[in-house]
Amino acid sequence: ALIGVRAGEQLRRQPALEPLMRHSLSEWLVSGQGRPLVSEIHPFNRAARAIARLGQRQAVGKLVLRIA
């Protein structure tokens, strides 16, 4: 699980880790082990509603905008 990661701070302190971290994260995602929690899928014409849900802290996981 990947929860609440602030990799930016780690990279600021140890910039030499960036290639290794990017490679490891990429492998994790490509292998299918790393899958973001998608809680809602909205059509693109409802983007304002999706953004409002984020602003109101009503979203759990990721919101996806579908472009058809």
Side-chain angles (χ1 to χ4, degrees), residues 7-20:
E9 181 61 22
Q10 179 70 20
L11 293 176
R12 186 185 68 78
R13 292 178 185 203
Q14 295 180 297
L17 290 177
E18 191 271 335
L20 176 61

Side-chain angles (χ1 to χ4, degrees), residues 6-50:
R6 279 196 62 199
E9 181 61 22
Q10 179 70 20
L11 293 176
R12 186 185 68 78
R13 292 178 185 203
Q14 295 180 297
L17 290 177
E18 191 271 335
L20 176 61
M21 289 176 72
R22 184 172 5 113
H23 177 74
S24 297
L25 182 58
S26 178
E27 280 189 345
W28 189 59
L29 292 170
V30 168
S31 74
Q33 291 177 312
R35 291 176 297 186
L37 170 63
V38 175
S39 59
E40 301 175 25
I41 300 174
H42 297 267
F44 189 72
N45 64 351
R46 302 289 307 256
R49 178 178 180 268

Side-chain angles (χ1 to χ4, degrees), residues 52-64:
R53 289 185 54 73
L54 287 173
Q56 296 164 359
R57 302 186 58 88
Q58 295 176 335
V60 176
K62 303 295 182 192
L63 300 186
V64 173

